[in-house]
Amino acid sequence: MKLILDPCCGSRMFWFDRANPAVVFGDQRRETVTVTDRSHGREDGTRTLNIEPDFLMDFRALPYPEASFKLVSFDPPHLVRAGPKSWLAAKYGKLSQDWREDLRRGFAECFRVLDDHGVLVFKWNETQIKVGEVLALTPEKPLFGQVSGRKGMTHWLVFMKRAASDSAQGGPA
């Protein structure tokens, strides 16, 4: 049984166990990208990235019924501007010009497939869009979070989905 969904897995870069049997790794692309990048000291001056999801999927329209997962890891693309041969765009993906609606739908879908009291771990880098602009796209509020990265631009936020009975009884937020 799969308990965890990562609908934007990319190269699974932050996963310690990239083949964890409890996780459905999804992405909207399956590709191997090789780019010129002399910053990492490889003799041929290239860098290769493998995007190999278990299933192709769009985080805005997840192919699962409601309450399917206990945990969702949501690390959507965070770039709106990137060149066609950009290493960052290859690594993280690129949002469309309608990024607000894309992310609004992505949050809604991630919460839809979460079980009651399920946990959503959200990762966002503020290189081009501030985290506050993104959080305004969901009515859900994070429980806690952490800022990381060399420049303090990456945010890790944790949410918990309320059960319908919680809000009626004033239960957990």
Short mmCIF file of all heavy atoms in Angstrom, two decimals, residues 40-109:
data_model
loop_
_atom_site.label_atom_id
_atom_site.label_comp_id
_atom_site.label_asym_id
_atom_site.label_seq_id
_atom_site.Cartn_x
_atom_site.Cartn_y
_atom_site.Cartn_z
N HIS A 40 31.14 22.03 -11.85
CA HIS A 40 31.28 20.85 -11.00
C HIS A 40 32.52 20.02 -11.32
O HIS A 40 32.66 18.91 -10.83
CB HIS A 40 30.00 20.00 -11.07
CG HIS A 40 28.92 20.58 -10.23
ND1 HIS A 40 28.24 21.72 -10.58
CD2 HIS A 40 28.45 20.22 -9.02
CE1 HIS A 40 27.38 22.03 -9.64
NE2 HIS A 40 27.48 21.13 -8.68
N GLY A 41 33.42 20.53 -12.14
CA GLY A 41 34.70 19.90 -12.35
C GLY A 41 34.73 18.62 -13.15
O GLY A 41 35.73 17.93 -13.16
N ARG A 42 33.64 18.27 -13.82
CA ARG A 42 33.66 17.07 -14.65
C ARG A 42 34.51 17.34 -15.89
O ARG A 42 34.45 18.42 -16.47
CB ARG A 42 32.25 16.67 -15.07
CG ARG A 42 31.45 16.15 -13.86
CD ARG A 42 30.16 15.56 -14.24
NE ARG A 42 30.36 14.54 -15.26
CZ ARG A 42 29.40 13.80 -15.76
NH1 ARG A 42 28.18 13.94 -15.31
NH2 ARG A 42 29.63 12.91 -16.68
N GLU A 43 35.28 16.37 -16.28
CA GLU A 43 36.20 16.54 -17.41
C GLU A 43 35.49 16.94 -18.69
O GLU A 43 36.00 17.75 -19.46
CB GLU A 43 37.00 15.25 -17.64
CG GLU A 43 38.08 15.05 -16.60
CD GLU A 43 38.95 13.87 -16.93
OE1 GLU A 43 39.16 13.57 -18.12
OE2 GLU A 43 39.43 13.25 -15.97
N ASP A 44 34.32 16.37 -18.95
CA ASP A 44 33.63 16.68 -20.20
C ASP A 44 32.78 17.96 -20.09
O ASP A 44 32.17 18.39 -21.06
CB ASP A 44 32.76 15.51 -20.66
CG ASP A 44 31.60 15.19 -19.73
OD1 ASP A 44 31.49 15.82 -18.66
OD2 ASP A 44 30.81 14.30 -20.09
N GLY A 45 32.74 18.57 -18.89
CA GLY A 45 32.02 19.83 -18.71
C GLY A 45 30.51 19.70 -18.76
O GLY A 45 29.81 20.66 -19.05
N THR A 46 29.99 18.51 -18.46
CA THR A 46 28.53 18.32 -18.51
C THR A 46 27.99 17.87 -17.17
O THR A 46 28.74 17.43 -16.29
CB THR A 46 28.13 17.27 -19.57
OG1 THR A 46 28.68 16.01 -19.19
CG2 THR A 46 28.60 17.67 -20.95
N ARG A 47 26.70 17.96 -17.07
CA ARG A 47 25.98 17.49 -15.89
C ARG A 47 24.71 16.81 -16.40
O ARG A 47 24.05 17.33 -17.29
CB ARG A 47 25.63 18.68 -15.02
CG ARG A 47 25.24 18.33 -13.61
CD ARG A 47 24.62 19.51 -12.93
NE ARG A 47 25.53 20.24 -12.08
CZ ARG A 47 25.12 21.15 -11.21
NH1 ARG A 47 23.85 21.44 -11.09
NH2 ARG A 47 25.97 21.77 -10.46
N THR A 48 24.37 15.67 -15.83
CA THR A 48 23.20 14.91 -16.28
C THR A 48 22.19 14.78 -15.14
O THR A 48 22.56 14.56 -13.99
CB THR A 48 23.61 13.51 -16.77
OG1 THR A 48 24.53 13.67 -17.85
CG2 THR A 48 22.42 12.72 -17.26
N LEU A 49 20.93 14.92 -15.52
CA LEU A 49 19.83 14.84 -14.56
C LEU A 49 18.81 13.84 -15.10
O LEU A 49 18.41 13.92 -16.26
CB LEU A 49 19.18 16.22 -14.43
CG LEU A 49 18.02 16.35 -13.48
CD1 LEU A 49 18.53 16.32 -12.04
CD2 LEU A 49 17.30 17.66 -13.73
N ASN A 50 18.40 12.89 -14.25
CA ASN A 50 17.40 11.90 -14.64
C ASN A 50 16.09 12.16 -13.91
O ASN A 50 16.05 12.15 -12.68
CB ASN A 50 17.88 10.49 -14.31
CG ASN A 50 19.08 10.10 -15.13
OD1 ASN A 50 19.08 10.24 -16.35
ND2 ASN A 50 20.13 9.65 -14.48
N ILE A 51 15.03 12.40 -14.68
CA ILE A 51 13.68 12.54 -14.14
C ILE A 51 12.98 11.23 -14.48
O ILE A 51 12.66 10.98 -15.64
CB ILE A 51 12.92 13.73 -14.77
CG1 ILE A 51 13.74 15.00 -14.75
CG2 ILE A 51 11.55 13.89 -14.12
CD1 ILE A 51 14.01 15.58 -13.40
N GLU A 52 12.77 10.37 -13.47
CA GLU A 52 12.20 9.04 -13.69
C GLU A 52 11.08 8.77 -12.69
O GLU A 52 11.25 8.00 -11.74
CB GLU A 52 13.30 7.98 -13.56
CG GLU A 52 14.41 8.14 -14.57
CD GLU A 52 15.58 7.20 -14.33
OE1 GLU A 52 15.85 6.87 -13.15
OE2 GLU A 52 16.22 6.81 -15.31
N PRO A 53 9.91 9.38 -12.89
CA PRO A 53 8.80 9.12 -11.98
C PRO A 53 8.24 7.71 -12.17
O PRO A 53 8.41 7.10 -13.22
CB PRO A 53 7.76 10.17 -12.39
CG PRO A 53 8.04 10.40 -13.84
CD PRO A 53 9.54 10.28 -13.99
N ASP A 54 7.56 7.21 -11.14
CA ASP A 54 6.83 5.95 -11.27
C ASP A 54 5.68 6.12 -12.26
O ASP A 54 5.38 5.22 -13.03
CB ASP A 54 6.25 5.51 -9.92
CG ASP A 54 7.31 5.26 -8.86
OD1 ASP A 54 8.43 4.85 -9.22
OD2 ASP A 54 7.01 5.49 -7.67
N PHE A 55 5.04 7.29 -12.18
CA PHE A 55 3.88 7.59 -13.03
C PHE A 55 3.95 9.04 -13.51
O PHE A 55 4.34 9.92 -12.74
CB PHE A 55 2.55 7.40 -12.27
CG PHE A 55 2.36 6.02 -11.75
CD1 PHE A 55 2.61 5.73 -10.42
CD2 PHE A 55 1.94 4.99 -12.58
CE1 PHE A 55 2.46 4.44 -9.92
CE2 PHE A 55 1.77 3.71 -12.10
CZ PHE A 55 2.04 3.43 -10.77
N LEU A 56 3.54 9.26 -14.75
CA LEU A 56 3.39 10.62 -15.24
C LEU A 56 2.07 11.17 -14.69
O LEU A 56 1.05 10.48 -14.73
CB LEU A 56 3.37 10.65 -16.77
CG LEU A 56 4.70 10.30 -17.44
CD1 LEU A 56 4.53 10.24 -18.95
CD2 LEU A 56 5.79 11.29 -17.06
N MET A 57 2.12 12.38 -14.13
CA MET A 57 0.92 13.00 -13.58
C MET A 57 1.08 14.50 -13.54
O MET A 57 2.19 15.02 -13.54
CB MET A 57 0.58 12.44 -12.20
CG MET A 57 1.57 12.77 -11.12
SD MET A 57 1.14 12.07 -9.49
CE MET A 57 1.40 10.33 -9.77
N ASP A 58 -0.04 15.18 -13.49
CA ASP A 58 -0.10 16.63 -13.40
C ASP A 58 -0.55 16.97 -11.99
O ASP A 58 -1.63 16.55 -11.57
CB ASP A 58 -1.10 17.15 -14.44
CG ASP A 58 -1.21 18.65 -14.47
OD1 ASP A 58 -0.83 19.33 -13.49
OD2 ASP A 58 -1.70 19.17 -15.50
N PHE A 59 0.26 17.72 -11.24
CA PHE A 59 -0.09 18.02 -9.86
C PHE A 59 -1.38 18.84 -9.73
O PHE A 59 -1.95 18.93 -8.66
CB PHE A 59 1.06 18.72 -9.12
CG PHE A 59 1.39 20.13 -9.58
CD1 PHE A 59 0.64 21.22 -9.14
CD2 PHE A 59 2.47 20.36 -10.41
CE1 PHE A 59 0.96 22.51 -9.54
CE2 PHE A 59 2.80 21.65 -10.81
CZ PHE A 59 2.03 22.73 -10.37
N ARG A 60 -1.86 19.40 -10.83
CA ARG A 60 -3.10 20.18 -10.81
C ARG A 60 -4.33 19.31 -10.98
O ARG A 60 -5.45 19.78 -10.79
CB ARG A 60 -3.07 21.23 -11.93
CG ARG A 60 -1.91 22.22 -11.77
CD ARG A 60 -1.69 23.00 -13.02
NE ARG A 60 -1.37 22.07 -14.10
CZ ARG A 60 -1.14 22.43 -15.36
NH1 ARG A 60 -1.21 23.69 -15.71
NH2 ARG A 60 -0.84 21.52 -16.26
N ALA A 61 -4.15 18.04 -11.36
CA ALA A 61 -5.27 17.10 -11.57
C ALA A 61 -4.77 15.70 -11.23
O ALA A 61 -4.47 14.90 -12.12
CB ALA A 61 -5.75 17.19 -13.01
N LEU A 62 -4.65 15.40 -9.96
CA LEU A 62 -4.08 14.13 -9.52
C LEU A 62 -5.05 12.97 -9.78
O LEU A 62 -6.24 13.09 -9.55
CB LEU A 62 -3.73 14.20 -8.03
CG LEU A 62 -2.64 15.23 -7.70
CD1 LEU A 62 -2.48 15.38 -6.19
CD2 LEU A 62 -1.31 14.84 -8.34
N PRO A 63 -4.51 11.84 -10.25
CA PRO A 63 -5.36 10.70 -10.65
C PRO A 63 -5.70 9.76 -9.49
O PRO A 63 -5.69 8.55 -9.66
CB PRO A 63 -4.48 10.00 -11.68
CG PRO A 63 -3.08 10.22 -11.17
CD PRO A 63 -3.11 11.62 -10.60
N TYR A 64 -6.02 10.32 -8.31
CA TYR A 64 -6.31 9.50 -7.15
C TYR A 64 -7.60 9.97 -6.49
O TYR A 64 -7.92 11.15 -6.53
CB TYR A 64 -5.16 9.57 -6.13
CG TYR A 64 -3.87 9.08 -6.72
CD1 TYR A 64 -2.91 9.98 -7.15
CD2 TYR A 64 -3.63 7.72 -6.90
CE1 TYR A 64 -1.73 9.54 -7.74
CE2 TYR A 64 -2.46 7.27 -7.48
CZ TYR A 64 -1.52 8.19 -7.90
OH TYR A 64 -0.37 7.74 -8.49
N PRO A 65 -8.32 9.05 -5.84
CA PRO A 65 -9.54 9.46 -5.14
C PRO A 65 -9.20 10.27 -3.88
O PRO A 65 -8.06 10.28 -3.42
CB PRO A 65 -10.21 8.14 -4.77
CG PRO A 65 -9.20 7.08 -4.94
CD PRO A 65 -8.10 7.61 -5.83
N GLU A 66 -10.22 10.90 -3.34
CA GLU A 66 -10.05 11.66 -2.10
C GLU A 66 -9.52 10.77 -1.00
O GLU A 66 -9.80 9.57 -0.96
CB GLU A 66 -11.39 12.26 -1.67
CG GLU A 66 -11.85 13.36 -2.58
CD GLU A 66 -13.14 14.02 -2.11
OE1 GLU A 66 -13.44 13.97 -0.89
OE2 GLU A 66 -13.82 14.60 -2.96
N ALA A 67 -8.73 11.36 -0.10
CA ALA A 67 -8.23 10.68 1.10
C ALA A 67 -7.40 9.44 0.79
O ALA A 67 -7.50 8.44 1.48
CB ALA A 67 -9.39 10.36 2.05
N SER A 68 -6.57 9.49 -0.24
CA SER A 68 -5.77 8.33 -0.65
C SER A 68 -4.43 8.20 0.07
O SER A 68 -3.85 7.13 0.08
CB SER A 68 -5.48 8.40 -2.15
OG SER A 68 -6.65 8.29 -2.91
N PHE A 69 -3.92 9.30 0.64
CA PHE A 69 -2.56 9.29 1.19
C PHE A 69 -2.51 9.89 2.59
O PHE A 69 -3.28 10.78 2.93
CB PHE A 69 -1.61 10.08 0.28
CG PHE A 69 -1.51 9.49 -1.10
CD1 PHE A 69 -2.29 9.99 -2.14
CD2 PHE A 69 -0.67 8.43 -1.36
CE1 PHE A 69 -2.22 9.44 -3.41
CE2 PHE A 69 -0.59 7.87 -2.63
CZ PHE A 69 -1.37 8.38 -3.66
N LYS A 70 -1.57 9.41 3.37
CA LYS A 70 -1.32 9.94 4.72
C LYS A 70 -0.38 11.15 4.68
O LYS A 70 -0.42 11.99 5.57
CB LYS A 70 -0.69 8.87 5.62
CG LYS A 70 -1.54 7.64 5.79
CD LYS A 70 -2.75 7.93 6.62
CE LYS A 70 -3.55 6.67 6.89
NZ LYS A 70 -4.82 6.95 7.51
N LEU A 71 0.49 11.19 3.67
CA LEU A 71 1.47 12.27 3.56
C LEU A 71 1.64 12.64 2.09
O LEU A 71 1.70 11.75 1.24
CB LEU A 71 2.82 11.84 4.14
CG LEU A 71 3.88 12.92 4.20
CD1 LEU A 71 4.61 12.86 5.54
CD2 LEU A 71 4.89 12.77 3.08
N VAL A 72 1.70 13.93 1.81
CA VAL A 72 2.00 14.42 0.47
C VAL A 72 3.19 15.35 0.57
O VAL A 72 3.22 16.25 1.43
CB VAL A 72 0.80 15.15 -0.17
CG1 VAL A 72 1.19 15.79 -1.50
CG2 VAL A 72 -0.37 14.19 -0.37
N SER A 73 4.17 15.14 -0.28
CA SER A 73 5.33 16.02 -0.39
C SER A 73 5.10 16.87 -1.64
O SER A 73 5.08 16.34 -2.75
CB SER A 73 6.60 15.18 -0.54
OG SER A 73 7.69 16.01 -0.89
N PHE A 74 4.92 18.17 -1.46
CA PHE A 74 4.59 19.07 -2.58
C PHE A 74 5.73 20.05 -2.79
O PHE A 74 5.91 20.99 -2.02
CB PHE A 74 3.28 19.79 -2.28
CG PHE A 74 2.71 20.60 -3.42
CD1 PHE A 74 2.82 20.19 -4.74
CD2 PHE A 74 2.03 21.77 -3.16
CE1 PHE A 74 2.27 20.93 -5.79
CE2 PHE A 74 1.48 22.53 -4.19
CZ PHE A 74 1.60 22.11 -5.51
N ASP A 75 6.53 19.79 -3.81
CA ASP A 75 7.68 20.63 -4.18
C ASP A 75 7.50 21.00 -5.65
O ASP A 75 8.18 20.46 -6.52
CB ASP A 75 8.98 19.85 -3.95
CG ASP A 75 10.22 20.64 -4.31
OD1 ASP A 75 10.14 21.87 -4.49
OD2 ASP A 75 11.29 20.01 -4.43
N PRO A 76 6.55 21.92 -5.93
CA PRO A 76 6.28 22.25 -7.33
C PRO A 76 7.38 23.10 -7.93
O PRO A 76 8.21 23.67 -7.21
CB PRO A 76 4.97 23.05 -7.24
CG PRO A 76 5.07 23.73 -5.91
CD PRO A 76 5.75 22.72 -5.01
N PRO A 77 7.41 23.22 -9.26
CA PRO A 77 8.36 24.16 -9.87
C PRO A 77 8.18 25.54 -9.26
O PRO A 77 7.07 25.92 -8.88
CB PRO A 77 7.95 24.16 -11.35
CG PRO A 77 7.24 22.86 -11.55
CD PRO A 77 6.56 22.57 -10.24
N HIS A 78 9.27 26.29 -9.15
CA HIS A 78 9.18 27.62 -8.57
C HIS A 78 9.73 28.71 -9.48
O HIS A 78 9.82 29.86 -9.08
CB HIS A 78 9.88 27.66 -7.21
CG HIS A 78 11.32 27.25 -7.26
ND1 HIS A 78 11.72 25.96 -7.04
CD2 HIS A 78 12.42 27.96 -7.54
CE1 HIS A 78 13.03 25.89 -7.17
NE2 HIS A 78 13.47 27.09 -7.47
N LEU A 79 10.06 28.35 -10.70
CA LEU A 79 10.57 29.34 -11.65
C LEU A 79 9.50 29.72 -12.67
O LEU A 79 8.79 28.85 -13.16
CB LEU A 79 11.78 28.77 -12.42
CG LEU A 79 12.98 28.35 -11.59
CD1 LEU A 79 14.00 27.64 -12.46
CD2 LEU A 79 13.61 29.55 -10.89
N VAL A 80 9.39 31.01 -12.97
CA VAL A 80 8.54 31.46 -14.08
C VAL A 80 9.40 32.00 -15.21
O VAL A 80 8.96 32.04 -16.35
CB VAL A 80 7.50 32.51 -13.64
CG1 VAL A 80 6.42 31.87 -12.79
CG2 VAL A 80 8.12 33.67 -12.91
N ARG A 81 10.63 32.39 -14.87
CA ARG A 81 11.57 32.88 -15.87
C ARG A 81 12.82 32.01 -15.84
O ARG A 81 13.48 31.91 -14.81
CB ARG A 81 11.96 34.34 -15.58
CG ARG A 81 10.82 35.32 -15.63
CD ARG A 81 11.25 36.75 -15.26
NE ARG A 81 11.97 36.84 -14.00
CZ ARG A 81 11.42 36.87 -12.79
NH1 ARG A 81 10.10 36.78 -12.67
NH2 ARG A 81 12.15 36.97 -11.70
N ALA A 82 13.11 31.39 -16.97
CA ALA A 82 14.32 30.56 -17.09
C ALA A 82 14.56 30.30 -18.57
O ALA A 82 13.61 30.13 -19.33
CB ALA A 82 14.17 29.25 -16.35
N GLY A 83 15.80 30.30 -18.95
CA GLY A 83 16.16 30.06 -20.35
C GLY A 83 15.84 28.64 -20.78
O GLY A 83 15.71 27.74 -19.95
N PRO A 84 15.74 28.43 -22.10
CA PRO A 84 15.39 27.10 -22.62
C PRO A 84 16.43 26.02 -22.31
O PRO A 84 16.11 24.85 -22.28
CB PRO A 84 15.27 27.33 -24.13
CG PRO A 84 16.00 28.59 -24.41
CD PRO A 84 15.94 29.42 -23.16
N LYS A 85 17.68 26.40 -22.04
CA LYS A 85 18.71 25.42 -21.72
C LYS A 85 19.17 25.57 -20.27
O LYS A 85 20.25 25.12 -19.91
CB LYS A 85 19.90 25.59 -22.67
CG LYS A 85 19.55 25.25 -24.10
CD LYS A 85 20.75 25.31 -24.99
CE LYS A 85 20.37 24.96 -26.42
NZ LYS A 85 21.52 24.96 -27.30
N SER A 86 18.35 26.19 -19.44
CA SER A 86 18.70 26.44 -18.04
C SER A 86 18.78 25.15 -17.24
O SER A 86 17.87 24.32 -17.27
CB SER A 86 17.62 27.36 -17.43
OG SER A 86 17.65 27.30 -16.03
N TRP A 87 19.88 25.00 -16.49
CA TRP A 87 20.04 23.86 -15.60
C TRP A 87 18.96 23.88 -14.52
O TRP A 87 18.38 22.86 -14.18
CB TRP A 87 21.43 23.85 -14.98
CG TRP A 87 21.57 22.82 -13.89
CD1 TRP A 87 21.66 23.05 -12.56
CD2 TRP A 87 21.61 21.40 -14.06
NE1 TRP A 87 21.76 21.86 -11.87
CE2 TRP A 87 21.74 20.82 -12.77
CE3 TRP A 87 21.56 20.55 -15.15
CZ2 TRP A 87 21.80 19.46 -12.56
CZ3 TRP A 87 21.62 19.18 -14.93
CH2 TRP A 87 21.75 18.65 -13.65
N LEU A 88 18.68 25.06 -13.97
CA LEU A 88 17.66 25.15 -12.92
C LEU A 88 16.28 24.76 -13.43
O LEU A 88 15.53 24.08 -12.73
CB LEU A 88 17.62 26.56 -12.32
CG LEU A 88 18.80 26.92 -11.43
CD1 LEU A 88 18.67 28.36 -10.94
CD2 LEU A 88 18.92 25.97 -10.26
N ALA A 89 15.94 25.18 -14.65
CA ALA A 89 14.64 24.80 -15.22
C ALA A 89 14.58 23.29 -15.45
O ALA A 89 13.55 22.66 -15.21
CB ALA A 89 14.38 25.55 -16.51
N ALA A 90 15.70 22.71 -15.89
CA ALA A 90 15.73 21.26 -16.08
C ALA A 90 15.59 20.53 -14.74
O ALA A 90 14.87 19.54 -14.63
CB ALA A 90 17.04 20.86 -16.76
N LYS A 91 16.25 21.05 -13.73
CA LYS A 91 16.26 20.41 -12.42
C LYS A 91 14.92 20.54 -11.70
O LYS A 91 14.42 19.58 -11.12
CB LYS A 91 17.37 21.04 -11.58
CG LYS A 91 17.63 20.37 -10.27
CD LYS A 91 18.86 21.00 -9.62
CE LYS A 91 19.16 20.36 -8.29
NZ LYS A 91 20.36 20.92 -7.67
N TYR A 92 14.34 21.73 -11.73
CA TYR A 92 13.14 22.00 -10.94
C TYR A 92 11.86 22.13 -11.74
O TYR A 92 10.78 22.16 -11.18
CB TYR A 92 13.33 23.29 -10.13
CG TYR A 92 14.44 23.21 -9.13
CD1 TYR A 92 15.60 23.95 -9.30
CD2 TYR A 92 14.35 22.38 -8.02
CE1 TYR A 92 16.64 23.87 -8.38
CE2 TYR A 92 15.37 22.30 -7.10
CZ TYR A 92 16.52 23.05 -7.28
OH TYR A 92 17.54 22.96 -6.38
N GLY A 93 11.95 22.25 -13.04
CA GLY A 93 10.76 22.49 -13.84
C GLY A 93 10.46 23.98 -13.88
O GLY A 93 11.11 24.79 -13.22
N LYS A 94 9.47 24.34 -14.66
CA LYS A 94 9.11 25.74 -14.84
C LYS A 94 7.60 25.88 -14.81
O LYS A 94 6.88 25.07 -15.39
CB LYS A 94 9.67 26.22 -16.19
CG LYS A 94 9.55 27.69 -16.42
CD LYS A 94 10.23 28.07 -17.74
CE LYS A 94 9.89 29.48 -18.14
NZ LYS A 94 10.44 29.84 -19.43
N LEU A 95 7.13 26.90 -14.09
CA LEU A 95 5.70 27.18 -14.02
C LEU A 95 5.23 27.87 -15.29
O LEU A 95 6.02 28.51 -15.99
CB LEU A 95 5.40 28.09 -12.82
CG LEU A 95 5.58 27.46 -11.45
CD1 LEU A 95 5.61 28.54 -10.38
CD2 LEU A 95 4.49 26.46 -11.17
N SER A 96 3.94 27.81 -15.54
CA SER A 96 3.37 28.52 -16.69
C SER A 96 3.17 29.98 -16.32
O SER A 96 3.34 30.38 -15.16
CB SER A 96 2.04 27.89 -17.09
OG SER A 96 1.02 28.26 -16.17
N GLN A 97 2.77 30.78 -17.28
CA GLN A 97 2.47 32.19 -17.01
C GLN A 97 1.27 32.33 -16.06
O GLN A 97 1.12 33.33 -15.40
CB GLN A 97 2.22 32.94 -18.32
CG GLN A 97 3.46 33.09 -19.17
CD GLN A 97 4.58 33.81 -18.42
OE1 GLN A 97 4.39 34.86 -17.82
NE2 GLN A 97 5.77 33.21 -18.43
N ASP A 98 0.44 31.30 -16.01
CA ASP A 98 -0.72 31.29 -15.12
C ASP A 98 -0.37 30.56 -13.82
O ASP A 98 -1.13 29.74 -13.31
CB ASP A 98 -1.91 30.62 -15.83
CG ASP A 98 -3.24 30.93 -15.16
OD1 ASP A 98 -3.29 31.83 -14.30
OD2 ASP A 98 -4.22 30.24 -15.49
N TRP A 99 0.81 30.86 -13.27
CA TRP A 99 1.34 30.12 -12.13
C TRP A 99 0.45 30.21 -10.90
O TRP A 99 0.39 29.25 -10.13
CB TRP A 99 2.77 30.56 -11.81
CG TRP A 99 2.94 31.99 -11.40
CD1 TRP A 99 3.24 33.05 -12.21
CD2 TRP A 99 2.82 32.52 -10.08
NE1 TRP A 99 3.32 34.20 -11.48
CE2 TRP A 99 3.07 33.91 -10.16
CE3 TRP A 99 2.53 31.97 -8.83
CZ2 TRP A 99 3.04 34.75 -9.05
CZ3 TRP A 99 2.49 32.80 -7.72
CH2 TRP A 99 2.75 34.18 -7.84
N ARG A 100 -0.23 31.31 -10.70
CA ARG A 100 -1.10 31.42 -9.52
C ARG A 100 -2.20 30.37 -9.57
O ARG A 100 -2.46 29.68 -8.57
CB ARG A 100 -1.69 32.83 -9.41
CG ARG A 100 -0.70 33.86 -8.94
CD ARG A 100 -1.32 35.27 -8.90
NE ARG A 100 -0.35 36.25 -8.48
CZ ARG A 100 0.52 36.86 -9.28
NH1 ARG A 100 0.54 36.57 -10.57
NH2 ARG A 100 1.37 37.74 -8.80
N GLU A 101 -2.85 30.24 -10.72
CA GLU A 101 -3.91 29.24 -10.85
C GLU A 101 -3.33 27.82 -10.78
O GLU A 101 -3.93 26.94 -10.18
CB GLU A 101 -4.69 29.44 -12.15
CG GLU A 101 -5.86 28.50 -12.32
CD GLU A 101 -6.90 28.59 -11.19
OE1 GLU A 101 -6.99 29.62 -10.50
OE2 GLU A 101 -7.62 27.59 -11.00
N ASP A 102 -2.16 27.61 -11.36
CA ASP A 102 -1.50 26.30 -11.29
C ASP A 102 -1.27 25.90 -9.84
O ASP A 102 -1.60 24.78 -9.42
CB ASP A 102 -0.16 26.31 -12.02
CG ASP A 102 -0.28 26.46 -13.52
OD1 ASP A 102 -1.38 26.23 -14.07
OD2 ASP A 102 0.73 26.81 -14.16
N LEU A 103 -0.70 26.81 -9.06
CA LEU A 103 -0.41 26.49 -7.66
C LEU A 103 -1.67 26.40 -6.82
O LEU A 103 -1.75 25.55 -5.92
CB LEU A 103 0.58 27.51 -7.07
CG LEU A 103 1.98 27.46 -7.69
CD1 LEU A 103 2.85 28.58 -7.13
CD2 LEU A 103 2.63 26.11 -7.48
N ARG A 104 -2.66 27.23 -7.09
CA ARG A 104 -3.94 27.14 -6.38
C ARG A 104 -4.54 25.75 -6.58
O ARG A 104 -4.95 25.08 -5.63
CB ARG A 104 -4.90 28.22 -6.89
CG ARG A 104 -6.23 28.26 -6.15
CD ARG A 104 -7.13 29.39 -6.65
NE ARG A 104 -6.61 30.68 -6.19
CZ ARG A 104 -6.09 31.64 -6.98
NH1 ARG A 104 -6.06 31.48 -8.28
NH2 ARG A 104 -5.62 32.75 -6.47
N ARG A 105 -4.57 25.30 -7.83
CA ARG A 105 -5.11 23.97 -8.13
C ARG A 105 -4.25 22.87 -7.53
O ARG A 105 -4.75 21.85 -7.06
CB ARG A 105 -5.23 23.79 -9.64
CG ARG A 105 -6.36 24.63 -10.23
CD ARG A 105 -6.42 24.61 -11.74
NE ARG A 105 -6.42 23.28 -12.32
CZ ARG A 105 -6.07 23.02 -13.57
NH1 ARG A 105 -5.72 23.99 -14.39
NH2 ARG A 105 -6.09 21.79 -14.01
N GLY A 106 -2.92 23.07 -7.54
CA GLY A 106 -2.01 22.08 -6.96
C GLY A 106 -2.25 21.89 -5.47
O GLY A 106 -2.33 20.76 -4.98
N PHE A 107 -2.37 23.00 -4.74
CA PHE A 107 -2.67 22.89 -3.31
C PHE A 107 -4.00 22.18 -3.10
O PHE A 107 -4.11 21.28 -2.25
CB PHE A 107 -2.73 24.27 -2.66
CG PHE A 107 -1.42 24.78 -2.14
CD1 PHE A 107 -0.85 25.92 -2.68
CD2 PHE A 107 -0.77 24.15 -1.09
CE1 PHE A 107 0.35 26.41 -2.20
CE2 PHE A 107 0.44 24.64 -0.60
CZ PHE A 107 0.99 25.77 -1.15
N ALA A 108 -5.02 22.59 -3.85
CA ALA A 108 -6.35 21.98 -3.68
C ALA A 108 -6.28 20.47 -3.94
O ALA A 108 -6.87 19.68 -3.18
CB ALA A 108 -7.35 22.65 -4.62
N GLU A 109 -5.56 20.06 -4.95
CA GLU A 109 -5.44 18.64 -5.26
C GLU A 109 -4.67 17.89 -4.18
O GLU A 109 -5.05 16.79 -3.78
CB GLU A 109 -4.77 18.43 -6.62
CG GLU A 109 -5.70 18.62 -7.78
CD GLU A 109 -6.76 17.53 -7.81
OE1 GLU A 109 -6.49 16.42 -8.30
OE2 GLU A 109 -7.89 17.79 -7.33
#
